[in-house]
Amino acid sequence: MKPHPKRQVEMLEKLPEAHCPPTVQPSLFSPTILVVDDEQGMRNSLNDLLRMSGYDVTCAANGREAITLLANKRFNLVLLDINMPFISGQGVLDYIGEKKIDTSVIVLSGESTFDQATQALRKGAEDFLTKPFSPDDLLRNLTKILQKRQRRDEYLVIQKRLQGSEELHRFIVNSAPDLIYMLDEGGYFSFVNERVESLLGCQVDDILGRHFLELVFEEDRRKAEYAFQLQRKGQVGDKGIELRLRGKKGDDLRHVEVRALSIELNPVGVYTAGKRGNQGVVCTYGIARDIGDRKQTEALQRYQHYHDFLTSLPNRNLFDDRLDIALGQAKRSGGKLAVMTLDVDRFKKINESFGHLAGDEMLQSVALRLRKCLREGDTLARIGGDEFALLLPNVSSKQDADSIAQKILAISSLPVYHQNTELRITFSIGVALYPDHGEAKDVLLRHADLAMYRVKESGRNDFRYYSKDLRQNVSHTLDIENSLHRAICDNELRLHYQPQFDMATNKVTGLEALIRWQHPQRGLLPPSEFIPVAEETKLICYIGEWVLKQACKDAVVLRNRGLGHVRIAINVSPQQFDMEDFEETLLRTIKQHGLDTRFLEVEITENSIMRDMNKTMEILTALSAAGITIAVDDFGSGYSSLGYLHTLPLHTLKLDRSFVQNIAHAGEKNTIIDAILAMAKGLKIDFIAEGVETQEQHDYLLAAGCSICQGYFYSRPLEFNKLIPFLVSGK
């Protein structure tokens, strides 16, 4: 997947004309450019940018079109994307190399891996820019390459004019971009071109007569001498080796790729290659090409492969390598080490409240603070999003890890400021020790993650060590998850219904559908045993769909038995409510069962309502217009802002059971319940108190003016086959 193509297009479109560098002037050279990218917006933006700079531009939407154009037209430069349909950018490079097409290539790609970049450069690409890139950098590099081609073409023109003359050969050799040299049989320079002046800062006369090893960096001399001996024997041929040459100052190293060939001056004064037996003078002819730019590019790609771009911390690749090394050392020495996984608590809220740019700045600040908690030799890595990993080698005892974890938690006492807003950063930390909690890398990381997730479940801002009970809990969760898939397919789910009573008439006015699981081995399970797992694994949407269909089937039965006046309320999870086709699926299911929508109520939580107010308004308005009533479940336990009660089409407030449980005596004052009841009456919204279990709670709610209640005081949730007799009896 290509990162941020729209942002790159915007960068290209917003580039002022004044920022464009001067283009290559078409004298002997008329530059033509082929843009190859499967993103139409990118092609159009590059086309406009390059035409504005005076270039002749042709565009191709994929590698297949590019190859067709290259076969029929000459292009001086190709701007090439890597990941494309039909034929990739690497395939286009292969075609250019195979057909020996004379063109320069700059790779512009969202694929920034080291292997892709190295492969492209070795296939002849002259530059590799990672998207998003600066338009100024693109134009600057493009101009540099085209000017280089212009000089090359001008050299070719001059060659034709001076062909056959001695001046031509001397001009070619001295003007060559590579260092051309000749060594005698002993390895001393007998010829060197003028490129040595710009490459090493030495004059030609300073080099002649010196041994070639004097120019080679000490660490590369054995490799160079070995290659020289093989070349003299004709065993290497044109194979290149990479060496570092010392400049005139001594400490200035230049990376070069050397290609050399053993030659022989025969008795008639002609140099020949690949022949022996003339008893002539054996020499070595070679070319040294400056590859400093390529080495810098490779070094940059290596750095990016092992480091996080945002924080400059090691990434997962480097962390894994260092953990492997530390484990090997610990096994040999019998020592210990600790692995920590750290997660920034509620980081998603920061992104949602202040934007991703603020989130990035926060992560950079966190990285700087975490570094200050470490010992020399520890490794802190960002492994993704707001997750960090910490390697503590040479841990002598559990107290060493405790000390580091406490230092990290102490960071939360120092506020971070963004736009004059004070924020506090806390961490959930999981710790695994070698060899106590595992001996393999993957095991240690997995166990540290388990401990971290338990900290999050327990309230965050703490650290915890791995223990075996964590794995048992995970195994239980996995068993529930796997069994839930079967339960949905094998019809093991059940609906029980809890009646809602009109307190004035003591008649049933509604039913709340409550799910149960008839487990084959464990019996009837309440929702607390499996709903949290269903929400975590996204199975809650399938369960919600089953509840809707089953409730509709049961409603049809009640209607046929003359009990259609009783409204059924179903609970909708936040994930189900966020589904793109939620309201269409709901209305379609009701219609398929031939039901009147007035006898169905949808219960949603305050958190679901406030996640996206625009979307919530659209969905609830559509449902209300269709005749479905909307209830706010667990009212009072969520958001403190009540503005949504005025704007949304709501029909019922269900008081959270925690308020009802606080009622101890019928005569005492409960201000919160009275206030909510008064607000509901003022807004003309129905009010239901749930969780009523005692006579005192019933008496207080009745005196306070509550009209509808449900709870064990009136009736427990009933199986459907027991519900009908209950309703028929009129209780």
Side-chain angles (χ1 to χ4, degrees):
M1 184 176 291
K2 304 174 181 176
H4 308 301
K6 292 184 178 179
R7 185 170 63 185
Q8 179 66 73
V9 170
E10 291 172 357
M11 290 173 63
L12 293 171
E13 291 176 345
K14 293 179 180 179
L15 181 69
E17 185 174 359
H19 287 181
C20 298
T23 58
V24 178
Q25 298 300 322
S27 53
L28 298 173
F29 182 78
S30 180
T32 56
I33 299 177
L34 174 61
V35 175
V36 187
D37 199 302
D38 60 330
E39 292 287 344
Q40 184 176 356
M42 178 64 71
R43 290 198 310 274
N44 294 340
S45 297
L46 285 172
N47 180 60
D48 295 341
L49 174 66
L50 296 174
R51 289 187 180 277
M52 182 176 63
S53 301
Y55 297 107
D56 180 11
V57 184
T58 303
C59 293
N62 51 59
R64 183 184 297 171
E65 292 183 15
I67 287 177
T68 301
L69 290 168
L70 287 167
N72 295 281
K73 183 178 178 180
R74 181 178 181 274
F75 295 93
N76 304 108
L77 181 70
V78 179
L79 299 181
L80 181 63
D81 190 16
I82 289 293
N83 292 328
M84 296 183 295
F86 306 118
I87 299 176
S88 69
Q90 297 288 3
V92 175
L93 283 170
D94 291 337
Y95 177 83
I96 291 173
E98 178 183 350
K99 298 299 183 181
K100 298 181 179 180
I101 296 175
D102 182 20
T103 186
S104 298
V105 179
I106 297 179
V107 174
L108 309 177
S109 177
E111 178 63 65
S112 61
T113 62
F114 173 75
D115 291 339
Q116 286 280 20
T118 302
Q119 188 178 2
L121 292 171
R122 292 193 180 278
K123 288 182 180 180
E126 297 200 31
D127 204 351
F128 189 105
L129 295 180
T130 302
K131 298 177 182 176
F133 50 83
S134 166
D136 285 339
D137 289 343
L138 171 64
L139 291 172
R140 190 180 304 108
N141 292 2
L142 178 147
T143 302
K144 180 179 177 182
I145 291 173
L146 289 176
Q147 288 175 342
K148 180 179 177 181
R149 290 185 62 86
Q150 181 178 356
R151 289 193 297 269
R152 186 203 66 178
D153 288 355
E154 290 173 350
Y155 291 154
L156 294 176
V157 173
I158 295 174
Q159 177 185 6
K160 292 180 180 179
R161 294 176 180 174
L162 302 177
Q163 190 173 11
S165 68
E166 182 179 349
E167 294 180 2
L168 169 64
H169 297 92
R170 193 173 299 275
F171 172 77
I172 292 174
V173 172
N174 287 325
S175 301
D178 302 326
L179 177 64
I180 301 174
Y181 66 89
M182 188 175 293
L183 305 177
D184 63 17
E185 190 172 5
Y188 294 88
F189 284 100
S190 59
F191 172 80
V192 65
N193 70 340
E194 294 177 358
R195 177 71 171 95
V196 72
E197 297 178 7
S198 58
L199 182 64
L200 301 179
C202 304
Q203 298 296 319
V204 173
D205 292 340
D206 297 334
I207 301 299
L208 295 178
R210 294 174 62 183
H211 198 276
F212 77 94
L213 289 179
E214 296 182 33
L215 302 183
V216 179
F217 182 53
E218 289 84 348
E219 296 180 4
D220 293 348
R221 285 181 179 177
R222 292 188 62 183
K223 177 172 63 173
E225 187 171 16
Y226 178 73
F228 173 71
Q229 296 298 334
L230 291 180
Q231 288 161 355
R232 289 183 68 251
K233 298 176 183 179
Q235 297 179 7
V236 176
D238 196 35
K239 185 177 180 180
I241 61 170
E242 292 185 7
L243 296 174
R244 287 168 290 180
L245 302 183
R246 284 192 175 279
K248 186 176 182 179
K249 296 180 180 180
D251 57 351
D252 182 19
L253 298 180
R254 303 301 295 265
H255 290 267
V256 297
E257 184 178 63
V258 179
R259 295 183 179 273
L261 183 68
S262 177
I263 60 176
E264 181 179 298
L265 181 63
N266 62 29
V268 296
V270 177
Y271 280 108
T272 58
K275 296 182 180 180
R276 293 293 182 267
N278 293 327
Q279 299 180 350
V281 179
V282 176
C283 300
T284 300
Y285 167 80
I287 297 175
R289 173 164 296 174
D290 184 5
I291 58 171
D293 291 342
R294 192 182 83 191
K295 299 298 288 187
Q296 289 181 358
T297 300
E298 292 176 353
L300 177 61
Q301 293 294 334
R302 269 196 308 273
Y303 180 85
Q304 293 176 343
H305 183 67
Y306 288 109
H307 289 82
D308 173 55
F309 175 77
L310 179 64
T311 63
S312 297
L313 292 175
N315 60 13
R316 184 184 292 274
N317 295 327
L318 185 52
F319 183 84
D320 286 348
D321 288 349
R322 291 185 178 176
L323 181 54
D324 283 332
I325 295 172
L327 283 172
Q329 293 173 343
K331 290 177 182 178
R332 289 190 296 270
S333 64
K336 293 177 176 289
L337 63 82
V339 174
M340 294 184 181
T341 55
L342 303 84
D343 197 74
V344 181
D345 295 330
R346 300 180 180 89
F347 180 73
K348 184 179 179 181
K349 294 292 184 183
I350 296 176
N351 274 338
E352 292 176 348
S353 301
F354 300 99
H356 289 279
L357 180 59
D360 290 346
E361 293 176 354
M362 192 71 64
L363 289 175
Q364 291 171 337
S365 176
V366 166
L368 290 174
R369 292 190 175 189
L370 289 175
R371 281 191 179 120
K372 297 178 181 179
C373 302
L374 307 183
R375 312 167 303 169
E376 185 177 358
D378 296 342
T379 297
L380 173 67
R382 181 180 177 226
I383 58 178
D386 60 341
E387 297 181 36
F388 296 84
L390 180 57
L391 168 63
L392 305 177
N394 303 320
V395 173
S396 59
S397 65
K398 180 174 174 288
Q399 284 69 31
D400 290 342
D402 287 350
S403 176
I404 298 296
Q406 293 289 0
K407 287 181 180 179
I408 294 173
L409 292 177
I411 294 177
S412 60
S413 64
L414 302 175
V416 177
Y417 294 92
H418 176 73
Q419 296 179 352
N420 298 322
T421 301
E422 182 178 296
L423 303 173
R424 294 192 179 272
I425 302 299
T426 61
F427 301 92
S428 296
I429 306 172
V431 189
L433 297 175
Y434 168 88
D436 305 29
H437 302 146
E439 298 185 3
K441 174 180 64 178
D442 294 341
V443 173
L444 287 170
L445 289 170
R446 184 169 66 251
H447 287 174
D449 278 340
L450 288 176
M452 180 192 69
Y453 290 133
R454 178 53 60 90
V455 173
K456 281 190 168 295
E457 293 171 359
S458 304
R460 303 179 173 88
N461 193 25
D462 201 356
F463 73 96
R464 178 170 182 155
Y465 287 88
Y466 168 78
S467 59
K468 290 184 179 180
D469 65 300
L470 295 179
R471 185 172 58 189
Q472 293 171 353
N473 291 337
V474 172
S475 298
H476 173 71
T477 300
L478 289 175
D479 179 63
I480 291 292
E481 178 184 351
N482 294 331
S483 300
L484 262 180
H485 284 279
R486 186 197 66 243
I488 297 173
C489 297
D490 295 351
N491 198 28
E492 295 176 3
L493 300 178
R494 301 287 184 268
L495 277 187
H496 289 197
Y497 294 91
Q498 186 168 41
Q500 298 169 342
F501 286 83
D502 186 319
M503 299 186 71
T505 63
N506 200 30
K507 297 295 184 181
V508 177
T509 62
L511 303 167
E512 181 179 4
L514 301 171
I515 193 167
R516 302 290 187 266
W517 179 6
Q518 189 65 51
H519 195 281
Q521 287 80 39
R522 299 174 60 192
L524 192 66
L525 300 181
S528 59
E529 290 280 335
F530 59 91
I531 289 300
V533 177
E535 290 176 338
E536 182 180 348
T537 58
K538 312 298 184 184
L539 288 173
I540 192 66
C541 294
Y542 297 100
I543 292 176
E545 184 178 353
W546 179 89
V547 168
L548 172 62
K549 292 179 179 178
Q550 187 61 44
C552 287
K553 292 178 182 178
D554 293 342
V556 171
V557 175
L558 293 178
R559 182 191 61 188
N560 295 339
R561 296 292 297 271
L563 301 171
H565 63 282
V566 180
R567 186 170 58 195
I568 295 179
I570 61 172
N571 292 277
V572 175
S573 72
Q575 294 181 30
Q576 187 181 4
F577 190 72
D578 283 342
M579 293 174 62
E580 290 296 329
D581 58 347
F582 167 70
E583 64 269 32
E584 290 87 348
T585 301
L586 182 67
L587 295 174
R588 183 173 61 251
T589 303
I590 295 173
K591 183 177 180 181
Q592 288 173 349
H593 289 82
L595 287 173
D596 191 329
T597 55
R598 292 177 299 170
F599 299 114
L600 184 70
E601 184 170 71
V602 172
E603 293 187 8
I604 57 177
T605 63
E606 290 181 279
N607 289 337
S608 297
I609 291 175
M610 301 302 291
R611 286 160 74 101
D612 185 342
M613 280 297 294
N614 291 331
K615 183 177 180 181
T616 299
M617 173 65 79
E618 181 181 346
I619 294 175
L620 297 189
T621 301
L623 294 180
S624 180
I628 296 175
T629 58
I630 312 298
V632 181
D633 196 17
D634 299 332
F635 182 78
S637 63
Y639 285 80
S640 59
S641 173
L642 302 176
Y644 68 89
L645 296 177
H646 292 276
T647 58
L648 297 177
L650 303 175
H651 306 88
T652 305
L653 297 183
K654 295 192 70 176
L655 182 67
D656 185 69
R657 65 180 60 245
S658 62
F659 297 108
V660 176
Q661 290 171 353
N662 289 331
I663 300 174
H665 304 286
E668 70 180 7
K669 194 71 173 174
N670 194 310
T671 307
I672 295 179
I673 294 180
D674 293 342
I676 296 177
L677 265 169
M679 180 180 61
K681 291 178 180 178
L683 295 172
K684 297 182 180 180
I685 297 177
D686 292 336
F687 185 89
I688 299 177
E690 57 182 348
V692 180
E693 299 179 355
T694 67
Q695 182 70 47
E696 289 79 6
Q697 294 168 353
H698 167 81
D699 294 343
Y700 180 90
L701 292 168
L702 181 62
C706 179
S707 58
I708 302 175
C709 290
Q710 70 180 83
Y712 284 7
F713 179 74
Y714 310 103
S715 172
R716 289 178 175 271
L718 301 171
E719 299 176 47
F720 189 70
N721 59 356
K722 296 180 180 180
L723 174 66
I724 294 179
F726 181 87
L727 295 176
V728 170
S729 68
K731 292 184 179 180

